[in-house]
Amino acid sequence: MKEKNPESHSERVILDTDQSSSTSDGIDRRGFLKCMAWAGTGLVWSLAGGVPVSRAFGSAMHQQKHEDFSFVQISDSHIGFNKPANADVTGTLQAAVNKILATPSSPDFLIHTGDLTHSSKPAEFDTMDQVLTGAKRQIFYVPGEHDTSVDDGKAYLERYGKGSSGNGWYSFDHKGVHFIGLVNVVELEGMGKLGQAQLDWLEKDLSQRKNSTPIVLFAHIPLWAVYPTWGWGTSDSEQAFSYLKRFGSVTVLNGHIHQVMQKVEGNATFHTAMSTAFPQPAPGAAPSPGPMKVPAEKLRSVLGITEVNYVAQRHQLAVVDSTLSEGAATASSSGLV
């Protein structure tokens, strides 16, 4: 069933999880399910028992039993950027922190999916650290290409790479969920690339996990082919996902494209987050990607963050997007296959 939202022009897709039945619109549950929303983001995901569910960021929690924990994803803060698309990226990052502090779900930690800075300068890292300290939460990072292009990521690793492997990849466990931070911005070849050394590490890391363990992957460039013409994808991601087929729940969080795109394929749910700095055009809507200027009064409606709560629920994956602007939201909902 598909519903058009006349205000946001987004599409709401509901897909029953009963694989023995068929949907009226003929969607193949084992094919691609895409929900695209070009206005803001801000998700609250939840998981207990391995199935992710979400609600609008900043909205009050519904009475959901067995909630385990929540965390927040931010992305593409681009501290140091000062062009017309957003002359105050520090201010909009601070607005994101303020929204994090106001959320009633009290997230356990933050994940930043790259492009912390715009030019990898020490002062830019210092400013970002100063702002994010105000969130009063532990933060897990992966680099973006803007954090590695100047010095191959040396400054980034010195600050944020302690205990990581290779160019900064690592994993950790939190309340029964296994998190994996991947780096796909160092060996760029048109698209993102993980590289064989990281793939070998990933295979070994996953081999130690039970099939029932919920997996959350996060990296900067999308781990699925959003728009290869613009480099919006990871060339060797297929090999990475061959190691993930046996797991019942896989959630993939990315940044880089500065807009919300979602897909459910098999056991994996993909979500790309908005930037806290500036939007980019929809795939193919401009000659090339890059900062997109919007009227000043609309800027915060195309910037946002993603909050993730994990709760026990068996039947639907619901996704509701909101922005740094009050009241701006788009929605989609789908079942896991």
Side-chain angles (χ1 to χ4, degrees):
M1 177 175 66
K2 296 183 180 180
E3 296 179 18
K4 290 290 185 179
N5 183 327
E7 297 181 354
S8 66
H9 304 291
S10 66
E11 187 175 79
R12 186 167 185 250
V13 182
I14 299 176
L15 185 58
D16 195 321
T17 57
D18 182 359
Q19 296 182 23
S20 64
S21 62
S22 60
T23 56
S24 58
D25 58 12
I27 295 175
D28 180 356
R29 287 177 178 75
R30 298 203 176 276
F32 288 80
L33 174 62
K34 297 181 180 179
C35 304
M36 299 182 184
W38 306 116
T41 187
L43 297 184
V44 181
W45 295 65
S46 308
L47 176 118
V51 178
V53 183
S54 65
R55 62 176 173 84
F57 178 77
S59 65
M61 280 293 296
H62 297 293
Q63 291 185 351
Q64 299 181 34
K65 297 180 180 179
H66 311 299
E67 178 175 310
D68 279 352
F69 67 94
S70 68
F71 66 92
V72 168
Q73 178 198 5
I74 58 176
S75 197
D76 297 272
S77 47
H78 284 273
I79 297 300
F81 179 87
N82 60 359
K83 294 182 180 179
N86 184 357
D88 186 15
V89 294
T90 302
T92 49
L93 178 61
Q94 182 62 59
V97 169
N98 294 343
K99 196 158 190 176
I100 291 167
L101 292 172
T103 184
S105 59
S106 188
D108 285 15
F109 56 85
L110 276 62
I111 285 175
H112 195 307
T113 48
D115 281 353
L116 292 65
T117 67
H118 198 63
S119 305
S120 302
K121 295 178 180 178
E124 295 173 354
F125 285 117
D126 289 344
T127 297
M128 192 210 65
D129 287 341
Q130 183 177 7
V131 174
L132 291 185
T133 296
K136 301 176 181 179
R137 296 291 184 275
Q138 183 176 7
I139 307 173
F140 297 93
Y141 299 92
V142 288
E145 75 278 6
H146 284 266
D147 305 313
T148 60
S149 59
V150 174
D151 60 356
D152 292 328
K154 181 179 178 180
Y156 167 87
L157 286 174
E158 288 177 351
R159 288 178 180 252
Y160 312 109
K162 292 180 181 179
S164 65
S165 300
N167 292 312
W169 55 82
Y170 61 97
S171 65
F172 65 95
D173 296 288
H174 187 75
K175 297 182 179 178
V177 179
H178 188 59
F179 290 80
I180 304 173
L182 298 176
V183 178
N184 56 359
V185 297
V186 176
E187 298 184 41
L188 290 174
E189 295 179 357
M191 295 199 298
K193 185 176 180 181
L194 297 167
Q196 194 59 50
Q198 186 171 194
L199 288 166
D200 292 343
W201 172 89
L202 176 64
E203 183 178 22
K204 182 178 180 180
D205 180 82
L206 290 170
S207 70
Q208 303 171 50
R209 315 298 160 188
K210 296 180 179 179
N211 295 358
S212 59
T213 302
I215 305 294
V216 176
L217 299 177
F218 57 103
H220 181 62
I221 297 175
L223 289 167
W224 54 292
V226 173
Y227 197 63
T229 301
W230 284 358
W232 287 2
T234 300
S235 61
D236 50 3
S237 60
E238 185 175 351
Q239 183 175 345
F241 281 96
S242 70
Y243 309 145
L244 291 154
K245 291 179 180 179
R246 65 183 178 87
F247 293 95
S249 174
V250 178
T251 302
V252 185
L253 304 177
N254 302 122
H256 187 60
I257 70 172
H258 296 216
Q259 57 199 273
V260 179
M261 290 191 68
Q262 303 161 65
K263 181 180 75 167
V264 177
E265 181 184 1
N267 63 339
T269 299
F270 299 81
H271 182 83
T272 62
M274 306 269 320
S275 168
T276 66
F278 52 82
Q280 292 202 77
S288 63
M292 183 174 69
K293 192 175 187 301
V294 298
E297 67 275 12
K298 292 185 178 181
L299 178 60
R300 293 195 181 194
S301 71
V302 290
L303 304 178
I305 68 178
T306 302
E307 186 187 354
V308 184
N309 284 277
Y310 279 116
V311 296
Q313 183 168 332
R314 297 180 58 189
H315 298 297
Q316 276 196 333
L317 170 68
V319 179
V320 183
D321 295 305
S322 64
T323 70
L324 296 184
S325 296
E326 294 297 328
T330 59
S332 65
S333 174
S334 67
L336 289 178
V337 292

